[in-house]
Amino acid sequence: MFDLKQLGDMAKIAGEAKHMQEKQERMSREQMEILQKISAQMDTVIALLKDGKK
């Protein structure tokens, strides 16, 4: 027979896994935003350096 306790445990584990995945996705988005900001700042620095050489 199927044990309902095991079903509850599996549901709990699945819920925790979903929460962890959402947290990882949020962190990944935040890291992407930070990298985009850094990239834009680097573009600005490069442009300023090129203008300074003229």
Side-chain angles (χ1 to χ4, degrees), residues 1 8 10 12 24 26 32-33 38-40 42 44 50:
M1 276 318 245
M10 290 171 55
K12 182 179 176 183
Q24 288 175 336
R26 183 174 55 250
M32 182 61 73
E33 290 172 5
I38 291 171
S39 179
M42 293 297 293
T44 301
K50 285 181 179 179

Side-chain angles (χ1 to χ4, degrees), residues 5-20:
K5 183 179 180 326
Q6 287 181 340
L7 180 61
D9 291 345
M10 290 171 55
K12 182 179 176 183
I13 291 170
E16 290 173 359
K18 182 178 179 182
H19 177 72
M20 287 177 59

